[in-house]
Amino acid sequence: MEEAKGLVKHVLLVRFKDDTTPDQIEELIKGFANLVNLVSLSLSLSLSLSLSLAEPNDFLDVSIENVHQGFTHVFETTFESTEGIAEYLPHPAHVEFSKRFLPRLEKVLVVDFKPTTVHA
């Protein structure tokens, strides 16, 4: 196995509260994406979003396994190291956004990991 050199994936799985409107969800997604522009880190930060923009109770899970456990949206951020995450989490822009984002969530799960390549 080959561990990625320092890279760390920060994956956030969420389910928005049922009373969160599609417009509110879209606004929160745009706000999350905009963090890349607001947070200046000494280490690189990239963001990719894998999401459903459907109604909170009618999301677009394409998995045939049906084990999503109610999570409807996935946000993935890549950092050059764990120090990058440590710098990002207390950043004022992230803290301020979290004050708007977290109250709209019914469920949340965060996983940080170093990608590893396995050779057969």
Side-chain angles (χ1 to χ4, degrees):
M1 291 191 290
E2 293 179 33
E3 188 175 287
K5 294 196 187 318
L7 288 181
V8 178
K9 297 286 187 176
H10 178 75
V11 180
L12 172 68
L13 289 81
V14 305
R15 175 180 174 81
F16 289 98
K17 291 181 179 176
D18 289 342
D19 65 348
T20 307
T21 67
D23 287 343
Q24 289 172 319
I25 291 173
E26 186 174 351
E27 182 179 322
L28 290 167
I29 289 168
K30 287 178 181 178
F32 190 93
N34 192 45
L35 285 174
V36 173
N37 300 317
L38 300 175
V39 178
S40 58
L41 298 176
S42 57
L43 301 168
S44 90
L45 166 69
S46 66
L47 169 70
S48 63
L49 302 174
S50 304
L51 344 145
S52 157
L53 295 178
E55 295 289 334
N57 291 324
D58 186 27
F59 65 98
L60 303 174
D61 179 25
V62 297
S63 173
I64 60 172
E65 298 174 299
N66 197 30
V67 292
H68 54 77
Q69 298 182 27
F71 293 105
T72 58
H73 294 73
V74 178
F75 300 83
E76 179 185 278
T77 311
T78 303
F79 296 88
E80 286 188 4
S81 68
T82 54
E83 291 83 6
I85 294 174
E87 198 174 330
Y88 167 73
L89 293 176
H91 189 282
H94 178 260
V95 171
E96 192 59 36
F97 175 74
S98 295
K99 290 177 184 176
R100 293 190 331 257
F101 188 71
L102 293 175
R104 300 304 322 157
L105 302 182
E106 181 178 315
K107 285 179 83 167
V108 62
L109 174 67
V110 177
V111 178
D112 297 326
F113 67 95
K114 288 190 170 195
T116 302
T117 302
V118 178
H119 299 284

